[in-house]
Amino acid sequence: MKASEKYTNVFGSMNHLSNKIPWTTGLSNMVEFVVWNTSSVLGVSKKEYWKQIVDWVKSDELKDLKNEDVIKVIEKRLDSIMLETEQLETYSKKSTGICTAREALRRVKYFSEDYLNKEFDIFLSLVSDSYLDMFYKQFISFEEKNSWSTHGNSGLFECSTKLTAMFMDNLAYNNKSNILVANELKLNGKKNPDQILKYCLMYNYLLEHKFIEKDAKFLLLFIGGKEVQYEREVELNKEIEYCKKKNRHDLISQPIIEKASDLLIKSITWMDMMKFNETYLEQLDSKYQVEHKLIKGFNNSLNEKSFMQN
């Protein structure tokens, strides 16, 4: 049985981006992030961790000791390393290496783009369709029909679509208005050198495999820590040249370039998104208490990120 079949056999699957994914799936995706990225818990990858233990055990000073004595020495060394890597201030320079659980949490909560992605997934799955209408109408015109579904980068998305080479951040799809939005999230980083073409490859794949409807409008929205405006033609030409140099001919086929020429690219900073959220809350009736709490909570979390403190 293939890995994707094992996954869908246990956790289920989806067959169209219009499928409504419950917000609780965002929590399991957070757990998925933790178990697949052990550095978020240990401070280093699982392989680096056990290799370090093996190296210590095989050292000359430990090879003649009893097992219980070896264990004591290893525990002491781990404690010493974790003491060295732990930071006691919220925004102290991000350390590396094996660390305590507290330090691991500090690294992901304030410094990790992957962790922010998961927070965003949960946020987008819980906000109202009215919020998504207003947010996306800043960038693309459509008739408000209140029918959004959102998808984070997860085993559910990958194993259902069989799209294993696409590391998207988050997708929002409006089936009635036939709009696909790719939310590409950044801290302070810029777009990858082949990112537009990769998203167009994804679009064509989803269309071919009937996960989206024909002629769906496509918006690539960059959300980041810095103000960056992308000119489609300029960026596309750069990406084509880059892919030629890297022999990525799969990304510069005619159908992909045609889709890229039709793609809408927009950007917004996290700070401006927070301002939008505040404005949205001002016009939102106080009886919508849950959405008030949700949006305020997301703004608070964004405001705590390390890149917001510069």
Side-chain angles (χ1 to χ4, degrees):
M1 185 181 291
K2 294 180 180 179
S4 60
E5 294 171 342
K6 291 179 181 179
Y7 187 100
T8 56
N9 188 57
V10 174
F11 300 109
S13 63
M14 63 173 189
N15 57 22
H16 197 276
L17 289 197
S18 63
N19 293 166
K20 300 291 185 180
I21 307 300
W23 70 268
T24 49
T25 300
L27 297 180
S28 65
N29 291 346
M30 182 75 81
V31 175
E32 189 175 337
F33 155 67
V34 170
V35 297
W36 280 102
N37 296 273
T38 51
S39 61
S40 63
V41 176
L42 303 174
V44 294
S45 70
K46 203 158 46 175
K47 184 177 180 180
E48 290 175 303
Y49 192 84
W50 65 253
K51 281 183 69 176
Q52 178 64 85
I53 303 297
V54 170
D55 288 342
W56 283 338
V57 171
K58 292 178 66 177
S59 64
D60 291 339
E61 63 179 298
L62 296 184
K63 66 180 181 180
D64 296 326
L65 295 181
K66 295 179 181 179
N67 283 350
E68 56 265 30
D69 293 326
V70 171
I71 291 172
K72 288 179 182 179
V73 171
I74 299 300
E75 285 179 341
K76 189 173 182 180
R77 288 186 181 180
L78 286 174
D79 287 342
S80 177
I81 289 176
M82 289 190 289
L83 184 62
E84 291 174 3
T85 57
E86 184 169 26
Q87 302 296 316
L88 300 179
E89 300 293 333
T90 303
Y91 302 107
S92 296
K93 184 178 179 181
K94 184 182 175 184
S95 60
T96 58
I98 298 171
C99 65
T100 63
R102 182 171 50 251
E103 172 61 17
L105 178 60
R106 188 186 76 91
R107 293 178 190 179
V108 296
K109 182 175 175 63
Y110 302 114
F111 294 90
S112 170
E113 188 174 287
D114 288 329
Y115 184 85
L116 172 59
N117 289 351
K118 301 309 177 189
E119 288 184 313
F120 186 86
D121 291 346
I122 295 172
F123 172 72
L124 229 63
S125 68
L126 285 171
V127 289
S128 65
D129 287 331
S130 296
Y131 172 94
L132 294 175
D133 278 345
M134 289 184 64
F135 182 68
Y136 289 128
K137 287 202 79 169
Q138 298 175 99
F139 314 105
I140 187 171
S141 61
F142 60 93
E143 183 180 351
E144 298 178 16
K145 291 187 177 179
N146 296 334
S147 181
W148 291 95
S149 51
T150 61
H151 305 271
N153 189 4
S154 65
L156 178 64
F157 178 83
E158 180 179 317
C159 296
S160 296
T161 62
K162 308 295 192 299
L163 189 56
T164 58
M166 185 63 212
F167 300 103
M168 61 81 174
D169 287 338
N170 180 279
L171 301 178
Y173 183 63
N174 187 321
N175 191 43
K176 291 184 178 179
S177 293
N178 204 19
I179 296 173
L180 176 64
V181 181
N183 300 292
E184 178 60 29
L185 314 183
K186 304 290 185 183
L187 295 183
N188 277 325
K190 296 182 179 180
K191 64 175 273 303
N192 297 338
D194 56 2
Q195 202 147 44
I196 295 173
L197 293 171
K198 280 187 175 178
Y199 270 108
C200 291
L201 172 68
M202 179 201 72
Y203 177 96
N204 285 353
Y205 179 95
L206 292 174
L207 181 61
E208 179 184 351
H209 290 82
K210 303 185 186 309
F211 279 91
I212 58 176
E213 299 304 311
K214 186 179 179 181
D215 298 325
K217 293 182 180 179
F218 190 24
L219 166 65
L220 174 54
L221 178 63
F222 288 92
I223 310 177
K226 295 180 179 179
E227 183 79 40
V228 182
Q229 296 299 330
Y230 297 107
E231 293 186 27
R232 182 179 60 193
E233 296 305 318
V234 172
E235 296 300 326
L236 180 55
N237 289 333
K238 288 180 182 178
E239 292 202 7
I240 291 172
E241 288 305 310
Y242 172 83
C243 289
K244 286 180 179 178
K245 290 178 182 178
K246 296 295 183 179
N247 292 318
R248 288 299 309 271
H249 299 294
D250 57 316
L251 290 177
I252 51 178
S253 67
Q254 192 60 34
I256 292 176
I257 293 177
E258 286 178 2
K259 187 65 236 172
S261 300
D262 184 49
L263 172 68
L264 183 62
I265 303 175
K266 297 290 184 178
S267 65
I268 187 174
T269 66
W270 291 112
M271 291 70 79
D272 286 337
M273 183 176 183
M274 291 170 66
K275 291 176 183 177
F276 169 85
N277 288 346
E278 291 167 0
T279 301
Y280 178 83
L281 286 177
E282 288 175 359
Q283 57 84 44
L284 187 65
D285 195 296
S286 59
K287 69 181 180 180
Y288 297 104
Q289 188 179 41
V290 173
E291 192 160 30
H292 271 276
K293 289 182 177 180
L294 172 65
I295 294 173
K296 285 181 179 178
F298 186 64
N299 270 15
N300 287 342
S301 183
L302 283 176
N303 198 46
E304 290 179 341
K305 303 303 180 187
S306 59
F307 71 90
M308 295 288 285
Q309 306 306 312
N310 298 331

